[in-house]
Amino acid sequence: MSKVLAIDPGKSKFGLVLAHLEEQKVYKAEVIESKYLLSHVKKIYKKEKNIQLIIGNGTCSKNFINHLIKFIPDLIVAEEKNSTFRAKQRYFEIFALKGFKKF
C-alpha cells in the first residue's frame, strides 16, 4: 500500500493526513470535529484505491476504532504512548532554536 490515511484522535476533533509514502507527498491534512469522523473516513476510504488506514490509540480512540474496524478490517492501530513528547523532540531537531531562544 502506497497511500496512507493517518488519524490522530482527540476529545473533540481529529487530525487526518492522507499521504503517499513512496512519493513522500501529503495530499490532504485536515482537522475535523469528532462527530464527522466516521462519515468522512468512509468517504475517503471508498474514493481512494489501495489505501491503508492507521489510527492512534490515544485520547478517545477506542469507540472510533470499534466502529472503523467494522468496515475496514485491515485497520492498523498505532501506539501513541509519549508521541507528543517524541513529536516535540523531532520538531526541535528539524527547527533548532537559534540565538537568545537557545538559552
Side-chain angles (χ1 to χ4, degrees), residues 51-66:
I51 188 169
Q52 178 66 62
L53 267 75
I54 301 171
I55 187 169
N57 68 348
T59 311
C60 301
S61 65
K62 194 172 196 172
N63 187 39
F64 289 98
I65 291 169
N66 291 335

Side-chain angles (χ1 to χ4, degrees), residues 11-61:
K11 290 180 182 175
S12 62
K13 58 190 175 204
F14 282 63
L16 290 114
V17 173
L18 178 61
H20 194 288
L21 298 179
E22 293 166 0
E23 295 175 3
Q24 296 183 349
K25 183 177 181 180
V26 173
Y27 292 106
K28 183 185 290 194
E30 57 190 341
V31 176
I32 62 167
E33 290 182 52
S34 299
K35 62 185 176 182
Y36 301 119
L37 178 73
L38 294 175
S39 61
H40 193 67
V41 169
K42 285 179 184 180
K43 186 174 76 173
I44 293 171
Y45 189 73
K46 289 178 182 178
K47 181 182 175 186
E48 296 293 331
K49 305 290 186 239
N50 294 328
I51 188 169
Q52 178 66 62
L53 267 75
I54 301 171
I55 187 169
N57 68 348
T59 311
C60 301
S61 65

Side-chain angles (χ1 to χ4, degrees), residues 86-97:
R86 291 191 320 257
K88 186 176 181 180
Q89 276 185 312
R90 183 69 179 130
Y91 176 86
F92 286 115
E93 286 173 10
I94 296 169
F95 304 104
L97 294 177

